[in-house]
Amino acid sequence: GITYTREKPAVQGSLTLSHRSGAYLGIAGTNVNHVAINNTSIEIDVFGGYAGSVGDFTYDVGFLQFLFPGGKYEVSREKYSTLELNAGVGWKNLSLKYSHAVTDYFGYNNKTMVMDFGMEPNGRSRGSNYLEAAVNFELPYGFAFEAHIGRQVVRNYRKFDFTDHRLTLSKTLAPGWLASVSYIDTNARSALYTDVRGLDTSRAKWLASLSHEF
């Protein structure tokens, strides 16, 4: 629910290597805006884990490393890079996933709170977490619908907590091609998520995408 491109277009790509055992490892990249993530215009995500299924049940455990090459806060020079561990389960068209930060959440700590946010320090944000749930429905003519809700908790800095909601309608255009449109909103505190140029990065927004998988 938070935009890192200031609501501008993003070009993204990913590569995943999967083993028949269920193990996988991948890398993904996207552009970001240097106003949202200071001193960089690139986000690189490295991820991996193990996934499988038992009947109608699916499971997935893994890690996700957010990297922002050169990305640092302007004053404290703390890095945004964050490492999360995650676990997810699914049953038919329902899914539930939990992600847990084992490093500071996007660099939130005593230094950044005082020097970059002008707020009272309250320790490290390691241990922040995100819990999300989704339900998917297959529709006629290649359409699908997804309803998603997530809750971000920022440890020691609960003012930054928020809940996000997303509704997505997608359509398979051809083998490997998928188009979608989403409506996304959050209840984040606008004052905390408004950037230096006055954009509330947490406000409600529409998102259209076109992807190809091969």
Side-chain angles (χ1 to χ4, degrees):
I2 309 299
T3 173
Y4 294 140
T5 61
R6 304 193 78 249
E7 301 182 352
K8 303 299 182 182
V11 177
Q12 304 175 339
S14 65
L15 173 67
T16 304
L17 301 177
S18 302
H19 190 268
R20 61 184 179 181
S21 67
Y24 62 90
L25 183 66
I27 186 170
T30 182
N31 59 291
V32 297
N33 189 282
H34 67 91
V35 174
I37 305 292
N38 289 303
N39 303 303
T40 190
S41 58
I42 300 172
E43 174 185 337
I44 298 174
D45 301 333
V46 179
F47 56 90
Y50 182 85
S53 63
V54 179
D56 290 331
F57 288 90
T58 60
Y59 58 88
D60 190 342
V61 292
F63 72 91
L64 174 59
Q65 173 70 66
F66 297 91
L67 298 170
F68 302 92
K72 296 179 181 179
Y73 285 91
E74 287 289 358
V75 183
S76 67
R77 310 305 290 174
E78 291 287 285
K79 296 181 179 179
Y80 292 90
S81 298
T82 304
L83 174 61
E84 293 182 344
L85 302 181
N86 54 69
V89 294
W91 180 72
K92 295 186 177 180
N93 63 335
L94 302 173
S95 63
L96 182 68
K97 183 177 180 180
Y98 175 79
S99 300
H100 188 91
V102 295
T103 62
D104 285 336
Y105 172 79
F106 286 85
Y108 288 14
N109 56 36
N110 286 341
K111 289 179 65 177
T112 54
M113 284 300 131
V114 172
M115 302 174 69
D116 297 279
F117 291 97
M119 300 175 64
E120 289 293 323
N122 196 38
R124 301 187 61 178
S125 59
R126 180 174 57 193
S128 298
N129 57 81
Y130 183 68
L131 180 64
E132 57 186 305
V135 58
N136 295 272
F137 300 98
E138 295 294 331
L139 302 175
Y141 306 109
F143 284 93
F145 175 78
E146 180 190 62
H148 172 277
I149 185 170
R151 177 65 179 174
Q152 177 68 60
V153 174
V154 183
R155 186 185 181 193
N156 293 326
Y157 299 100
R158 299 297 298 272
K159 291 182 179 180
F160 288 89
D161 291 1
F162 65 87
T163 299
D164 67 273
H165 315 266
R166 184 180 72 238
L167 300 175
T168 301
L169 181 65
S170 60
K171 183 178 183 352
T172 300
L173 302 178
W177 287 95
L178 185 70
S180 69
V181 60
S182 302
Y183 177 76
I184 307 168
D185 197 5
T186 81
N187 66 351
R189 300 189 183 191
S190 296
L192 297 179
Y193 285 92
T194 296
D195 64 28
V196 295
R197 294 186 181 177
L199 175 68
D200 178 4
T201 61
S202 68
R203 69 182 184 180
K205 57 185 70 69
W206 289 92
L207 175 67
S209 71
L210 178 65
S211 62
H212 181 55
E213 182 176 327
F214 53 90

